[in-house]
Amino acid sequence: MTGWSPGTESAWSRANDVSFAGAGVGLALGVGVLLVWRGLPRNRRPTLELRLRPYVQDAPRPSRLLANRQVGGRSVLVVLARPVVADLGARIGRVLGGGPAVRRMLLRAGKPADLERFRAEQVLWGAAGLLGGAALGSVVWLGQGGAVLPPVIITLCSGAAGVVARDQWLTHEARRREDRLLAEFPTVAELLALAVAAGEGAAGALERVCRLSGGELSGELGRCLADARAGASLPVALQGLADRTGLVSLARFVDGMVVAVERGTPLAEVLRGQAQDARETGRRAVMEAAGKKEIAMMVPVVFLVLPVTVLFAVFPGLAFLNFSI
């Protein structure tokens, strides 16, 4: 039996440490080689889903709150709340009405025309308003010594305000998107005119502009191309753009392109004329906004600056008169 010493124990621990380190390095090296092999071009061939996605990516998606798919254990609350949210959304829709108008507003805001999803969002905004109203009502209830009616009124009004606020926010989103579309329209029309003048057809010019530019209008033109690839004619796809946006400038632009495509008129001249009209419209809008701001600027000038100026002009004379007396 050999003797055991502290030096032998330390050497054994160092050997174990070296072996563990070597195993870790080998494992990391193996994982790295596996990742490199998986990343080779021959192993990254696109699947059928990736090949079809550019042609169907503009299709509206179902609501996540009202979808009927299976979910995991952590989404049990969503599964239980889905029927309640759907029922409350239907009740809100019956009370407020205006389903077609809401769908048009959703399309103008660049969202899928999913009315059920929007009603579900209104329910959630109303629930948030109820919670905020309940908190404020609790403060009022404690301050008034147990009065029940004011907190109840505050809570109900807050819930109704949350529902209406979602509708107003949708209108705000639609207006902001329309402003972006109008701001991008002259540049996109000029690019289309340049592409057509260079020899591209209507569809080719649209595809080139969508590939080289970004923004709301480029996204809408890409959706038109997706509709055309799916089987619709190009004039019908462009008319869908005019129907979704609801802007007069874009409607005239679409009408000009449709007439040029169907009758064979020079498309480049039509696009240049549309771009010039859009720039003139933007210039008139800027002048109108400047006129409104000029009128608004008169309020502080008349009610704040002018009285102070008159006071500084009159006060020395009044002081001198008092001194003379």
Side-chain angles (χ1 to χ4, degrees):
M1 182 175 179
T2 57
W4 185 266
S5 63
T8 306
E9 183 177 359
S10 61
W12 178 259
S13 64
R14 287 196 298 271
N16 288 335
D17 294 339
V18 171
S19 62
F20 287 141
V25 172
L27 180 62
L29 181 62
V31 171
V33 171
L34 180 61
L35 292 176
V36 171
W37 182 80
R38 289 291 300 273
L40 293 177
R42 62 183 300 273
N43 297 322
R44 289 189 288 109
R45 290 177 295 182
T47 62
L48 179 62
E49 179 184 358
L50 293 178
R51 292 199 297 269
L52 293 178
R53 184 177 297 174
Y55 302 97
V56 299
Q57 63 182 355
D58 295 320
R61 300 179 181 178
S63 172
R64 292 179 294 176
L65 293 174
L66 305 178
N68 293 323
R69 63 179 183 270
Q70 295 290 341
V71 294
R74 62 179 181 178
S75 301
V76 175
L77 183 60
V78 176
V79 175
L80 295 177
R82 186 182 302 137
V84 180
V85 172
D87 183 63
L88 292 176
R91 292 177 183 272
I92 290 176
R94 285 194 295 268
V95 172
L96 298 180
V102 173
R103 288 190 178 93
R104 287 194 299 269
M105 191 63 66
L106 286 170
L107 291 176
R108 288 173 57 188
K111 301 177 181 296
D114 192 350
L115 183 59
E116 290 78 11
R117 179 174 182 173
F118 177 74
R119 296 303 185 196
E121 291 176 356
Q122 280 188 307
V123 171
L124 296 180
W125 281 54
L130 284 175
L131 291 177
L136 182 60
S138 300
V139 175
V140 173
W141 179 71
L142 293 175
Q144 293 187 354
V148 178
L149 186 59
V152 172
I153 295 175
I154 291 174
T155 303
L156 295 179
C157 291
S158 299
V163 174
V164 175
R166 180 64 186 95
D167 188 43
Q168 295 298 320
W169 182 252
L170 177 63
T171 305
H172 175 69
E173 289 179 327
R175 289 176 180 172
R176 288 183 57 188
R177 184 170 183 267
E178 288 175 354
D179 292 339
R180 291 195 297 269
L181 287 172
L182 291 176
E184 297 169 4
F185 173 59
T187 304
V188 171
E190 290 284 356
L191 291 175
L192 287 173
L194 291 174
V196 171
E200 293 278 2
L206 289 174
E207 185 174 0
R208 181 180 293 275
V209 171
C210 293
R211 186 174 63 251
L212 298 178
S213 62
E216 296 291 341
L217 187 54
S218 298
E220 286 290 341
L221 294 177
R223 185 171 179 177
C224 292
L225 287 175
D227 293 340
R229 295 191 190 103
S233 62
L234 185 59
V236 173
L238 290 173
Q239 191 61 44
L241 183 148
D243 295 338
R244 286 191 301 270
T245 56
L247 296 174
V248 179
S249 301
L250 287 180
R252 290 200 301 264
F253 166 74
V254 169
D255 292 339
M257 284 198 67
V258 169
V259 170
V261 170
E262 291 180 346
R263 301 183 182 179
T265 55
L267 185 58
E269 297 297 329
V270 173
L271 293 174
R272 289 196 185 95
Q274 294 286 346
Q276 185 64 28
D277 292 342
R279 295 187 188 279
E280 291 295 333
T281 303
R283 188 177 295 110
R284 286 196 299 270
V286 171
M287 294 298 293
E288 291 176 2
K292 294 178 181 178
K293 296 296 183 182
E294 183 179 1
I295 295 174
M297 288 173 60
M298 294 297 293
V299 175
V301 171
V302 172
F303 293 101
L304 296 178
V305 178
L306 184 60
V308 174
T309 304
V310 172
L311 180 62
F312 272 92
V314 173
F315 181 77
L318 294 176
F320 181 75
L321 291 175
N322 293 330
F323 181 75
S324 299
I325 292 174

